Amino acid sequence: MPELPEVETIKNDLKKKILGKKIKQVTIRKKRLVRGSARAFVRELKGNSFKDIKRIGKLLIFTLNNGKYLLIHLKMTGQLVYRRNKKIIAGGHGSPKITEHLPNKYSHIYFKFNDDSGLYFNDMRQFGFVQIVSKPVLEKIIAGFGPEPLSRQYKIEEFKEIFKNRKTSVKAVLLNQKLIAGIGNIYADEILFTAGVRPDRRAGSLKQQEMENIFNATKSVLRKAIKYRGTTFNDYVDASGNVGRFVRHLKVYGREGERCKKCEKGIILKAKVAQRGTQYCKVCQK
DNA sequence: CTTCTTGTTACTGA
DNA sequence: ATCAGTAACAAGAA
């Protein structure tokens, strides 16, 4: 599941690879994944190029040289893989490196650049989307997101406000993109473990210290995950098709039934909180 | 066959 | 009006 660290990794990778390259061909194999008119989508992209790439929450924003913006959301199983025009050089010793052929059966939309390199949007479950928007529409979309946890706009005073009088669980608050941008199921569990707070705690019941711990944990966990280029649990790969290495640093997500790495006593439990599979240590999290 | 996986949103009810 | 909870979407694994 691409969340903030994974999308950030893809964005940073792609910025080094595709900026300024002329888009010579746009292929749409599944129209359903294009929001709005597919015909207009191709028209806005073909012959143009990307000037910049940004991210808000889990949403990628490609700035086009024609003043429009390409939005790409990977949702659960989306991948965005860049591939150079590969010339297979036979020879050397041993077997040749096996490179997955692209486009594959899940490459529903892809772009070819003037140097014959390509950008492939693969999505097994087809939850993701691509969309071309104007600047005013983009600004409306951005305004719908809460603060970015790694930005200067993310302040402890405002952070505490979002918990005040809320009857829902602290996990539901962390997952709500309108309140904080970019956190999904994996990092919500990891953040709450690091902060020592049970995911099912009522948001409004948190003590000052607990809110401060969560605030700090959002930053430390996400920063560390970016450092390790994200978490590959199922489908996530970076823009080169490589896995993320944060999975080794996960403390609770996917560790149900295993021993807690912090207290070395508790067994990681799994419950349903905010309709999501939720892992926590009942010794370390109060 | 059923159940589980998750990001987002439309919908329902309080 | 606001907030919270749930179903639905999709395809594959177990």
Side-chain angles (χ1 to χ4, degrees), chain A residues 170-171 174 183 185-200 210 213-218 220-221 224 246 249-255 258-269 278-286:
Chain A
V170 55
K171 174 150 178 177
L174 292 185
I183 298 170
N185 205 35
I186 295 174
Y187 296 108
D189 281 7
E190 294 299 312
I191 287 164
L192 289 169
F193 175 81
T194 300
V197 176
R198 276 178 65 125
D200 57 355
E210 291 174 322
N213 290 347
I214 297 169
F215 179 80
N216 292 327
T218 55
S220 63
V221 169
K224 189 172 173 193
F246 191 68
H249 301 272
L250 293 175
K251 304 268 189 4
V252 287
Y253 187 88
R255 297 197 65 244
E258 293 176 41
R259 198 160 291 276
C260 176
K261 292 182 172 183
K262 194 198 269 179
C263 67
E264 297 178 345
K265 237 168 74 187
I267 301 295
I268 303 305
L269 301 176
T278 300
Q279 289 108 140
Y280 66 101
C281 171
K282 79 170 183 193
V283 178
C284 296
Q285 292 172 262
K286 301 291 178 197

Side-chain angles (χ1 to χ4, degrees), chain A residues 55-68:
Chain A
R55 175 193 61 74
I56 175 128
K58 304 162 193 168
L59 183 67
L60 282 163
I61 304 165
F62 296 73
T63 309
L64 280 156
N65 64 332
N66 66 357
K68 298 283 177 66

Side-chain angles (χ1 to χ4, degrees), chain A residues 30-78:
Chain A
K30 273 252 191 300
K31 266 195 179 157
R32 211 163 43 74
L33 301 196
V34 181
R35 287 194 176 174
S37 145
R39 187 186 280 267
F41 181 83
V42 175
R43 180 174 10 97
E44 297 285 7
L45 288 169
K46 209 167 170 179
N48 289 316
S49 61
F50 301 117
K51 279 206 307 196
D52 195 11
I53 312 173
K54 295 181 215 237
R55 175 193 61 74
I56 175 128
K58 304 162 193 168
L59 183 67
L60 282 163
I61 304 165
F62 296 73
T63 309
L64 280 156
N65 64 332
N66 66 357
K68 298 283 177 66
Y69 299 86
L70 164 67
L71 308 182
I72 300 186
H73 202 302
L74 302 174
K75 292 279 182 91
M76 293 171 60
T77 56

Side-chain angles (χ1 to χ4, degrees), chain A residues 21 45 73 80 87 111 114 121 250 265:
Chain A
K21 289 187 181 174
L45 288 169
H73 202 302
L80 209 46
K87 287 199 167 66
F111 314 94
N114 55 356
F121 176 42
L250 293 175
K265 237 168 74 187

Side-chain angles (χ1 to χ4, degrees), chain A residues 19 39 50 53 56 98 100 110 140-141 166 179 202 208 213 219 229 232 244-246 258 286:
Chain A
L19 293 191
R39 187 186 280 267
F50 301 117
I53 312 173
I56 175 128
I98 297 159
E100 193 205 0
Y110 56 91
K140 254 191 198 150
I141 291 168
R166 259 179 213 278
L179 302 177
R202 235 179 79 152
Q208 296 294 313
N213 290 347
K219 294 197 280 192
R229 304 182 56 80
T232 297
R245 306 187 319 273
F246 191 68
E258 293 176 41
K286 301 291 178 197

Side-chain angles (χ1 to χ4, degrees), chain A residues 142-186:
Chain A
I142 290 174
F145 282 91
E148 278 287 321
L150 300 180
S151 75
R152 277 188 291 279
Q153 282 78 2
Y154 190 58
K155 296 201 178 78
I156 184 71
E157 297 78 21
E158 291 149 48
F159 182 75
K160 284 177 177 171
E161 280 299 306
I162 65 180
F163 291 91
K164 218 172 182 174
N165 298 327
R166 259 179 213 278
K167 291 173 173 60
T168 191
S169 65
V170 55
K171 174 150 178 177
V173 170
L174 292 185
L175 291 174
N176 189 334
Q177 304 300 300
K178 296 186 196 77
L179 302 177
I180 313 164
I183 298 170
N185 205 35
I186 295 174

